[in-house]
Amino acid sequence: MESLDRHDVVLLNELQRDARQTVQQLAEAVGLSTTPVWKRVKEMEAAGVIRGYAARIDRDKVGLGMAVIAELNLTRHSEDDVRRFEQAVADCPQIVGCWATTGQADYVIKVLAPDIAGYERFLHETAFKLPGVTHVRSSVVLKEVKSEGPLPLALPEAGRRRR
């Protein structure tokens, strides 16, 4: 899939808004019949544009009321050390986001915990034991103003065609 046309962008925006819509509902929103809409969705799934579908869960209601953003530094940046660190992060369910960054921190992670005691346990049992970690700076999130919103997809310019 080389590029997205107007119909693809509308489909993706609709799926981001509500992925439980039927093909018929999507077709009405896009202005196409159901068969081409179904084919487009399947093409975007096969191409990896659509990576999956998931429910958004209120973390407070499932006992994960504390979010922490932590900056981590590694002692060395060899390919093996970085690979081991990144794999350990990927395997840790409390870490729900991780970004390699420029600036003072090598990585920034987002951690969810039930409370401050739970985060302290995470620090001692997990973060300080991550491969190569030399320093952790934590910032407790007081309030999430915006989190995990839909991607800001824009309609393609007039005349662009889907391939």
Side-chain angles (χ1 to χ4, degrees), residues 7 33 50 85 104-105 114 116 121 132 150:
H7 296 297
S33 64
I50 297 173
F85 168 80
Q104 292 185 352
I116 194 70
R121 275 191 309 280

Side-chain angles (χ1 to χ4, degrees), residues 66-73 105 107-111 113 116 118-124 127-128 133 135-142:
M66 174 163 277
V68 178
I69 304 300
E71 298 178 344
L72 287 74
N73 290 95
Y107 289 87
V108 174
I109 62 173
K110 180 178 179 181
V111 178
I116 194 70
Y119 182 66
E120 183 181 17
R121 275 191 309 280
F122 165 81
L123 281 174
H124 292 286
F128 296 148
V133 169
H135 192 80
V136 178
R137 284 178 297 281
S138 302
S139 297
V140 173
V141 174
L142 298 176

Side-chain angles (χ1 to χ4, degrees), residues 22 47 71 97 107 129 143 154:
T22 65
E71 298 178 344
Y107 289 87
K129 295 178 181 178
K143 176 172 74 171

Side-chain angles (χ1 to χ4, degrees), residues 37-50:
V37 165
W38 180 83
K39 285 180 180 178
R40 284 170 179 265
V41 169
K42 291 300 171 195
E43 284 178 13
M44 288 189 284
E45 289 172 350
V49 173
I50 297 173

